[in-house]
Amino acid sequence: MCMYRSIIPVLGVIQIFVGLLNIGFGPGRTSMYPGDLTSLGAAYWLGAVYIITGIFTITLNCCPYFVSVIFAVTVNIISSVYAIIGIVLYALDLDNSSFIGLCQNSQPSEEYFNECELLAYITQRLVIDMDITLIVLAVLQLGVSIAITVLGIRALCGRWKEKGVNDTEIHQPILKEVLMTSPGAEKGFTLMFGSLK
């Protein structure tokens, strides 16, 4: 139980960290055409969704009640959808990141064109590396959101299978039950704290 209870806040912190990195990389981008990531503000709204999801995941550890588990599962499902949208948007931006075209509209001097071409190449490499980093972070966010969703759904289904849920049980902690019934949880608990028998 202790092992899984300590993982939930770590997963929430990872979600907040991914959101902060998305927001942090947002101002460093320039808009190349209408409808690109910068003009959509994608880094900001993706980051906000990831941070809000992380906050609800961390509060799930503090308040493992029926309603909070349902809400955390819902928010993590929404975050999974946004992570997929982020992966698609960053992949599209990765495909359309070319800065060489900016040099063709500049002064005709050969020396200036070579310098412009070098700067365009460096800028293109930075944007490509940033997009790859954000794709990896979106995949990480997707994996964390799916893991928390599975844990939460498992907790809810386990509660409904044992007995019908009535109004007094809605306010009872349920996350502890699913963590102890997870595969290997009893073995890990026995190894850490000894047998309860």
Side-chain angles (χ1 to χ4, degrees), residues 55-117:
I55 290 170
F56 283 116
T57 300
I58 290 174
T59 59
L60 179 63
N61 190 50
C62 302
C63 310
Y65 299 111
F66 185 79
V67 175
S68 64
V69 172
I70 289 176
F71 195 67
V73 166
T74 305
V75 170
N76 275 285
I77 290 171
I78 293 169
S79 177
S80 298
V81 170
Y82 275 92
I84 292 170
I85 291 171
I87 292 168
V88 169
L89 286 176
Y90 290 131
L92 289 174
D93 192 58
L94 184 64
D95 187 41
N96 296 328
S97 59
S98 176
F99 291 88
I100 301 295
L102 297 175
C103 294
Q104 295 170 354
N105 298 331
S106 62
Q107 299 174 359
S109 167
E110 184 67 32
E111 180 181 326
Y112 179 81
F113 183 74
N114 289 340
E115 289 177 10
C116 181
E117 198 174 70

Side-chain angles (χ1 to χ4, degrees), residues 116-170:
C116 181
E117 198 174 70
L118 176 66
L119 287 175
Y121 174 74
I122 291 171
T123 305
Q124 183 174 342
R125 282 302 319 155
L126 287 173
V127 170
I128 287 173
D129 291 344
M130 192 173 7
D131 283 338
I132 291 171
T133 302
L134 290 171
I135 288 172
V136 169
L137 289 173
V139 169
L140 176 66
Q141 175 71 20
L142 178 64
V144 168
S145 293
I146 289 173
I148 293 169
T149 301
V150 167
L151 267 177
I153 290 174
R154 205 166 157 201
L156 293 171
C157 289
R159 178 68 150 215
W160 284 325
K161 282 182 184 176
E162 288 178 10
K163 52 189 172 201
V165 177
N166 57 32
D167 291 335
T168 59
E169 293 175 344
I170 288 177

